[in-house]
Amino acid sequence: LGLGLPAKRLRTLWTMLTHVHGNLLNVSDLSRSIGVSSPTVASDLDVLEASFLVRRLQPYFPNVSKRFTKSPKLYVRDTGLLHHLAGLRTPRELDVWSRRGASFEGFVIEEIGALAAANLVAPQLYFYRTHAGAEVDLLVVHGTRIIPIEIKLGAAFSRGDLAGMRSCLADLGLRRGFIVTGSGERRSASPEIEIVPFPEIVAGRIDLFA
């Protein structure tokens, strides 16, 4: 994966991206860690994104009076590559990896993005996050329709997960949202929030876009 970039800088950048994966992107922090300028890091990320190796998921800005995060979130698009770069070599190492939840989040975003592209016309992907900390991992935007999706590796979820979704629904004027989990059963968390297991989506038994 040379991509025309200096090999040493690229190796260092990849190492740093395994730690940034699933977090807000701060180009200045990356540039200091790598020892190159911010424009150079930004240019390198442009190359990686154009090569479909990373995704900079942009924040969604609704026309409301709240302050919203302006930085994108960074994901390594190939989960296998992410695990390799992180030094994981066995399933057991993945099971105990502290970044496993972020890995699952990126994987689900890519899979749902692919499903959206196959079933909708020109869908766009965003995330929702206010300066107060309310967050939803993924928004699938299709014309005037917005589908909010929170992603959790386990079947359990917290009040904070519901609070972020409720804030999103209220701010965007939406009536329905989903919490996608790695396991468990389909159920309702509230009249407007449905919990759906990811395996059911992959199997085609649940259509998020219906």
Side-chain angles (χ1 to χ4, degrees), residues 112-182:
I112 291 179
L115 287 172
N119 291 279
L120 304 174
V121 178
Q124 300 179 67
L125 305 184
Y126 299 93
F127 73 98
Y128 161 96
R129 182 182 176 120
T130 69
H131 273 274
E135 181 173 3
V136 172
D137 295 320
L138 179 65
L139 301 180
V140 179
V141 179
H142 174 227
T144 60
R145 187 182 178 199
I146 302 174
I147 304 164
I149 301 167
E150 177 68 12
I151 302 167
K152 306 298 293 182
L153 175 59
F157 59 92
S158 68
R159 290 182 179 179
D161 298 324
L162 292 182
M165 179 62 74
R166 285 178 176 137
S167 175
C168 178
L169 295 177
D171 285 341
L172 304 185
L174 306 177
R175 293 185 295 178
R176 189 184 188 194
F178 298 95
I179 297 179
V180 172
T181 62

Side-chain angles (χ1 to χ4, degrees), residues 3 6 10 20 23 28 33 45 51 55 63 68 70 79 89 91 99 108 110 114-115 123 127 157 161-162 186 196:
L3 304 173
L10 183 59
V20 175
N23 293 333
S28 296
S33 299
L45 290 175
S51 303
R55 178 189 294 276
N63 187 23
F68 287 83
K70 296 182 179 180
T79 306
R89 298 296 181 265
R99 302 287 296 153
V108 172
E110 291 304 317
L115 287 172
F127 73 98
F157 59 92
D161 298 324
L162 292 182
R186 184 176 187 175
V196 293

Side-chain angles (χ1 to χ4, degrees), residues 9 26 34 48 56-57 63 65 94 113 148:
R9 189 174 82 220
N26 188 315
I34 299 172
L48 296 179
R56 282 178 287 195
L57 189 66
N63 187 23
S65 59
L94 175 60

